[in-house]
Amino acid sequence: VVTPVPPSLDRRAAVAALLEDRGDLLVVTGLGSPSYDVHAAGDSDANYYLWGAMGSAALVGLGLAQARPDHMVLVITGDGEQLMGLGGLATIGVARPGNLAIAVIDNERFGETGMQESHTGYGVDLANVALACGFVAARTIHDMGGVKQARVELHEKASGPRLFVLKTTAENLPRSLPPRDAVHLKNRFRMHLGLPVN
Amino acid sequence: MGNDDQSIGSTHIVGATWPLQLYRELKAAQVRQVSYVPDAGHAQLIDLFRADPEVVANVLTSEEEGIAISAGAWLGGMRSVLLLQSSGVGNCINMLALATVSRFPLLMLVTMRGEWAEFNPWQVPMGLATEPALNAIGVRTIRVERPADLLETVASAATLSYEADQQIAVLISQRLIGAKKW
């Protein structure tokens, strides 16, 4: 299966739209450009930016969603990062967290390493993988209307996890760098939730 | 469905009291989330956690997923434990950077294979590599050889992990668990 429509969304505009009026949304970002996109949309103590641990973002989101059923959790990651954690979609599908949504910013490229084509560029369909794993909703989005609809849905609890694939153009944008000190990010996130810092 | 391997594999730990004691110890340490790839040595503990409505239990496709889930749980204020077999430690190495660089509390209970009356040669390489590989990535290991030491060791590891932000793997020796019987 080849993607019928060439990716056309602007990633920064799409991520900003996902995070509009975010309220008490908790956000985990996958390494590379998704971390820069979320930072560019506005830094927040409720953001946990990953700078490594490729393949972990959705699962950090799962652990967080299970610990905080009182909050909605949004994971914003890239196609390459999610592909490395493909098995995690099965784990999340089984766990069925109704307060977890995953947005894959899919430019069909490994953007940090020279824009090599990823599996999604060769036709792998992450939304269908998620559906097959038991996600209650998953779809591929090609326009800003679809992004805005996803933004509404990710603030509503569901009967299980959701995944949105946002097809974005492949371009190297100016980097917007969040802090790299993971202990700082961890502590400020916990303080945001009123938790003690050890 | 006949699953002789599973029924025989769990026979050797029937009657062992340490899994129940271990469950109580982890409950006392306020563990509310458990992630696992099954191992015969952890079978009873997994059943106890799965039956506990106070605990969220996640079955994993691969062990490194549990490192990430545990980190997320800590961000949200929940204590997590990861149950795995020594062969699964090899799957975790890169992901352990998440725990060490962020200083996330991490408690791994590793049942050892490949070191005591092991019949399967495929278990031996990772059995040999488990402790040095964990140490090389920055995870502290504590070995338990005797049932009498297990509870105290796990309680100590829980304190080191959840109170002192350490990444700890308790290695439960194959001699303690008993060699897998076929």
Side-chain angles (χ1 to χ4, degrees), chain A residues 59, chain B residues 35 60 62-71 80 82 106:
Chain A
L59 292 155
Chain B
S35 299
L60 311 173
S62 184
E63 290 81 356
E64 72 267 28
E65 296 172 10
I67 312 295
I69 293 171
S70 174
S80 184
L82 174 58
L106 176 66

Side-chain angles (χ1 to χ4, degrees), chain A residues 91-179:
Chain A
T91 296
I92 292 165
V94 170
R96 293 188 76 78
N99 60 333
L100 175 65
I102 301 166
V104 180
I105 310 304
D106 183 4
N107 62 2
E108 307 183 347
R109 298 285 190 282
F110 291 99
E112 290 295 299
T113 53
M115 286 289 177
Q116 299 88 352
E117 271 198 292
S118 81
H119 300 60
T120 60
Y122 291 111
V124 171
D125 182 339
L126 286 171
N128 267 329
V129 173
L131 288 174
C133 289
F135 279 53
V136 295
R139 60 179 183 269
T140 300
I141 295 169
H142 292 277
D143 55 52
M144 287 300 287
V147 175
K148 287 174 181 167
Q149 176 58 32
R151 184 253 159 223
V152 171
E153 290 176 37
L154 64 88
H155 283 272
E156 297 163 350
K157 278 204 175 175
S159 57
R162 278 81 48 87
L163 182 138
F164 306 105
V165 177
L166 280 55
K167 288 287 187 181
T168 62
T169 56
E171 52 186 329
N172 276 314
L173 298 167
R175 287 179 175 164
S176 179
L177 299 179

Side-chain angles (χ1 to χ4, degrees), chain B residues 17-156:
Chain B
T17 56
W18 63 263
L20 181 60
Q21 293 170 321
L22 197 48
Y23 165 76
R24 289 177 179 148
E25 196 68 51
L26 291 166
K27 289 281 288 183
Q30 297 175 297
V31 169
R32 293 291 177 269
Q33 183 193 66
V34 58
S35 299
Y36 61 91
V37 172
D39 174 64
H42 279 314
Q44 275 180 271
L45 191 55
I46 290 167
D47 287 346
L48 288 162
F49 276 123
R50 286 209 69 91
D52 185 340
E54 289 182 351
V55 175
V56 185
N58 295 306
V59 60
L60 311 173
T61 70
S62 184
E63 290 81 356
E64 72 267 28
E65 296 172 10
I67 312 295
I69 293 171
S70 174
W74 184 258
L75 283 177
M78 183 179 266
R79 292 182 175 194
S80 184
V81 66
L82 174 58
L83 310 180
L84 68 165
Q85 181 187 97
S86 50
S87 55
V89 167
N91 294 345
C92 293
I93 297 302
N94 182 49
M95 193 68 86
L96 283 165
L98 173 62
T100 58
V101 82
S102 314
R103 257 194 277 132
F104 278 117
L106 176 66
L107 180 58
M108 308 165 75
L109 302 185
V110 181
T111 44
M112 295 300 298
R113 290 285 307 269
E115 64 173 21
W116 183 266
E118 176 65 63
F119 78 100
N120 183 352
W122 295 72
Q123 290 285 352
V124 174
M126 202 56 230
L128 280 171
T130 290
E131 192 155 13
L134 285 166
N135 294 159
I137 197 69
V139 175
R140 184 169 163 182
T141 49
I142 309 174
R143 282 192 64 94
V144 187
E145 303 287 350
R146 300 183 309 148
D149 296 333
L150 183 62
L151 295 185
E152 196 180 9
T153 303
V154 169
S156 162

